[in-house]
Structure formats: C-alpha cells, structure tokens
Amino acid sequence: AQEVLVAVEHELPLPIIIWNSGNLGAIEADMRLKNIPPTSVVALNPDFAQLAKAYHCDYSRPESLAFLAESVGRALAAPGPTLIELRPGIAQA
C-alpha cells in the first residue's frame, strides 16, 4: 500500500496488474486433490476501482487481451500508477 502512494507522489507510470479470481484456486485444488473439503478459499476482495480512487490512481478493468494491451500502454504513459484488474474469462481477442 505504501509503495502505491510513493509511486503516486513521484508520478511513476506504473501498471499494477491484479488477478481477481475471487478465490484461492491453487489452495482449493490442492485441498480437493487430497480429499479435504475446501474451506476458507473464497476471498473477500475490496472494490478495486474504489481502492484505486482512494490511492489517487487510474483504474482499468479490461475485458479482452487487446484492451489489456491498451490499458498497459496507457498506464506506461500516465502521470502515476494505474491499477489494472483482471478477472477470469477475459476474452482472447
């Protein structure tokens, strides 16, 4: 968190990419593999758009890989960090 504010203060064009799957998939898969009922694997994540706003960052949630490339390009040209949220099901085109 402090690192984001430092990037804001220094106007660093930093793309911050967050994979928001809403759960702890690797841990859940490992539990299932070991025949352990998966518990505590659903993550309670913040509203990343509001979090970016609170940190004075730009925000993007691309719905395709093409838009992801555009989002990263804009982030590298922005006057500060950009939080880029990715979710499962992002389109390939």
Side-chain angles (χ1 to χ4, degrees):
Q2 294 86 356
E3 296 86 351
V4 174
L5 290 176
V6 169
V8 169
E9 289 174 0
H10 292 279
E11 299 179 345
L12 300 176
L14 178 66
I16 301 168
I17 299 175
I18 295 176
W19 177 255
N20 182 6
S21 66
N23 67 13
L24 305 172
I27 295 171
E28 180 180 4
D30 190 51
M31 291 174 84
R32 288 186 188 282
L33 184 66
K34 295 175 181 170
N35 293 318
I36 300 170
T39 58
S40 303
V41 293
V42 176
L44 177 61
N45 290 324
D47 180 328
F48 288 110
Q50 292 299 315
L51 187 65
K53 183 177 179 180
Y55 279 107
H56 309 283
C57 297
D58 288 337
Y59 171 81
S60 176
R61 186 173 153 199
E63 299 294 332
S64 69
L65 293 179
F67 188 40
L68 171 59
E70 290 176 24
S71 294
V72 171
R74 282 194 307 275
L76 292 170
T82 301
L83 193 150
I84 301 170
E85 179 181 4
L86 299 179
R87 291 186 172 240
I90 188 168
Q92 298 295 313

